[in-house]
């Protein structure tokens, strides 16, 4: 009897607590942006609530596979497919870089469209990832801030890309960078990254800052990633203009570029569920034309908008999914409905 009880307890502990090399993605929350955005001498919005939607990520256990059978909104993914092989600290740092970049882009777009003073400047580029065959794999880490290559101090990723392209195919590179505020230097060579192409094998994003009048502070708290860009831009613009719309709760997702273009993101089906649970009336979803070439690059062979529309039709029939290609698409919809 005691043996059976012990085995049962051990089985339950294994079922619920034993970590496996996978993560569970589930609908998170729809979070109001108003508490995060403070603009000098500008009142908060009173009638409209802009919200970003989050995907919850948690450690998977054997029980997760059973739970998935009863919850259609859960998915279990390999840890590497979500983190890109980064450790917890690296993954967190990269998500913070993405969020800071999204916020700065959103501030620029919001202020520019509200015809307020805003200027952007570039200080360098952040490392996002390194391909396995890069000579800098293990030398540079995600979220390192590259300040110069071979003593050449450039400001934007496109400048670094063009400079590296101009060098001989096996050129030696000396990269100066900052990690946790401290200066470092590493050496390596261009290598064949894909057949016929030699390079560094590094993805990067610009370190952009903005200066505004009136001043603004945006504090996203623990939220990371780039997918809140569009909604932050709408919040900032509407707050500057003190706009009111016919909707009380507006959710959405999508990256934002300084020119206002909206980009696709991951987990949009789960974000639809999170938005619907919060009572959202409309949901802005990134739109790209579903051409054969575009669909080939999609993980599910469907665009963000296709997945969002299909999910809403089944689980959120009273919520309107609105496709947007850029900031002005979203603004035009709000102003005309």
């Amino acid at each position: 009897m005691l043996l059976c009880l012990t085995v049962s307890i051990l089985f339950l502990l294994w079922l619920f607590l034993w970590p496996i090399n996978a993560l569970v993605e589930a609908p998170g929350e729809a979070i109001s942006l108003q508490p995060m955005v403070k603009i000098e001498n500008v009142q908060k919005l009173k009638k409209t609530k802009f919200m970003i939607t989050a995907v919850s990520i948690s450690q998977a256990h054997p029980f997760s596979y059973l739970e998935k059978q009863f919850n259609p909104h859960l998915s279990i993914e390999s840890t590497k497919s979500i983190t890109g092989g980064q450790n917890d600290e690296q993954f967190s740092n990269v998500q913070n870089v993405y969020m800071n970049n999204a916020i700065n882009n959103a501030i620029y777009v919001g202020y520019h469209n509200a015809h307020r003073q805003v200027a952007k400047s570039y200080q360098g580029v952040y490392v996002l990832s390194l391909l396995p065959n890069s000579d800098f794999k293990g030398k540079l880490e995600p979220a390192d801030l590259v300040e110069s290559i071979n003593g050449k101090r450039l400001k934007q990723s496109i400048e670094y890309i063009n400079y590296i392209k101009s060098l001989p195919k096996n050129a030696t590179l000396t990269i100066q960078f900052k990690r946790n505020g401290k200066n470092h230097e590493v050496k390596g060579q261009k290598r064949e990254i894909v057949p016929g192409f030699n390079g560094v094998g590094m993805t990067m994003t610009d370190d952009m800052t903005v200066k505004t009048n009136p001043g603004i502070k945006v504090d996203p708290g623990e939220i990371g990633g780039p997918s809140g860009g569009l909604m932050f831009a709408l919040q900032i613009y509407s707050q500057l203009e003190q706009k009111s719309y016919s909707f009380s709760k507006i959710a959405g997702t999508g990256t934002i570029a300084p020119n206002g273009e909206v980009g696709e993101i991951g987990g949009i089906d789960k974000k639809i569920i999170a938005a619907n649970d919060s009572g959202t009336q409309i949901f802005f979803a990134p739109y790209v034309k579903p051409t054969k070439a575009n669909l080939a690059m999609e993980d599910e062979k469907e665009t963000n908008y296709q997945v969002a529309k299909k999910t809403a039709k089944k689980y959120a029939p009273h919520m309107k999914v609105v496709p947007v290609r850029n900031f002005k698409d979203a603004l035009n919809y709000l102003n005309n409905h």
Side-chain angles (χ1 to χ4, degrees), residues 36-105:
M36 305 180 195
V37 178
K38 294 179 173 62
I39 305 175
E40 289 179 0
N41 302 317
V42 176
Q43 291 183 347
K44 296 179 179 180
L45 293 176
K46 296 179 180 178
K47 296 182 179 179
T48 299
K49 182 182 287 187
F50 287 100
M51 296 184 291
I52 55 173
T53 46
V55 174
S56 168
I57 300 177
S58 59
Q59 176 63 55
H61 304 92
F63 179 75
S64 304
Y65 289 94
L66 180 61
E67 187 180 15
K68 184 178 182 297
Q69 303 306 310
F70 298 95
N71 188 340
H73 310 312
L74 294 185
S75 62
I76 300 175
E77 310 289 343
S78 70
T79 302
K80 187 175 182 179
S81 69
I82 293 178
T83 66
Q86 299 164 0
N87 61 38
D88 290 346
E89 182 181 4
Q90 291 172 338
F91 183 70
S92 177
N93 288 341
V94 168
Q95 295 309 300
N96 289 335
V97 167
Y98 273 132
M99 175 55 82
N100 289 334
N101 185 267
I103 288 172
N104 285 324
N105 286 347

Side-chain angles (χ1 to χ4, degrees), residues 1 13 41-42 71 79 87 114 130 136 157 164 174-175 182 223 229 261-262 271 303 313 327 330:
M1 182 71 177
L13 289 174
N41 302 317
V42 176
N71 188 340
T79 302
N87 61 38
L130 292 142
F136 290 89
S157 52
I164 292 167
T174 301
I175 298 181
K182 295 182 179 179
I223 304 171
E261 289 184 359
V262 174
K271 294 180 179 182
T303 66
K313 183 178 180 180
F327 176 79

